[in-house]
Amino acid sequence: MNLTPKRLLGATAAVSIAAATLLGAGAGTAGAAGRAYCDRAERPVWSGDPSRNMTGHGCDMPSNGRRWYTVEVDTLVQPLHKREYRNGPVDRTVTLHDRTVRCMGYTTSGDTVNWFGCVPH
């Protein structure tokens, strides 16, 4: 009679491990689905800190809605502003290549994608 509880415990452990393995594989696939790619993007820098917003062009967007997006950018242009206002003079421009940025969301307007809530990755 003691054999049955041991078998049940073993079967329960096997099912739990299999379920955790399948969920882990699914989570990896879901993470890859939140990736976007942009040919070119601009992200202004104010007083040394990059803006939380980024404007992308030539972007391939993921098909599902997510909370966070990983955006791969071929060419990221960062104008460094002298002052804290948008139309102020630009001190210099830095061009970075093959960058990854994480953003919270986006809006689109024509061929332009406006990313918001972005942090360096």
Side-chain angles (χ1 to χ4, degrees), residues 35-42 54-61 70-76 98-99 111-115:
R35 297 182 90 66
Y37 168 81
C38 294
D39 290 330
R40 184 172 182 276
E42 296 93 29
M54 181 172 71
T55 303
H57 305 281
C59 298
D60 292 329
M61 305 302 293
T70 300
V71 185
E72 297 173 5
V73 180
D74 272 353
T75 305
L76 178 61
D98 300 321
R99 295 294 177 184
D111 293 337
T112 302
V113 179
N114 298 304
W115 297 96

Side-chain angles (χ1 to χ4, degrees), residues 2-74:
N2 286 340
L3 218 49
T4 303
K6 286 183 181 178
R7 285 186 181 170
L8 286 174
L9 182 61
T12 303
V15 169
S16 298
I17 291 170
T21 302
L22 289 173
L23 286 175
T29 305
R35 297 182 90 66
Y37 168 81
C38 294
D39 290 330
R40 184 172 182 276
E42 296 93 29
R43 185 176 187 186
V45 177
W46 313 96
S47 301
D49 294 325
S51 172
R52 298 278 184 199
N53 299 325
M54 181 172 71
T55 303
H57 305 281
C59 298
D60 292 329
M61 305 302 293
S63 60
N64 59 346
R66 299 185 51 83
R67 175 70 174 162
W68 284 94
Y69 297 89
T70 300
V71 185
E72 297 173 5
V73 180
D74 272 353

Side-chain angles (χ1 to χ4, degrees), residues 90-104:
V90 174
D91 185 32
R92 61 190 168 95
T93 300
V94 176
T95 302
L96 306 171
H97 299 281
D98 300 321
R99 295 294 177 184
T100 302
V101 179
R102 287 188 40 92
C103 297
M104 189 180 295

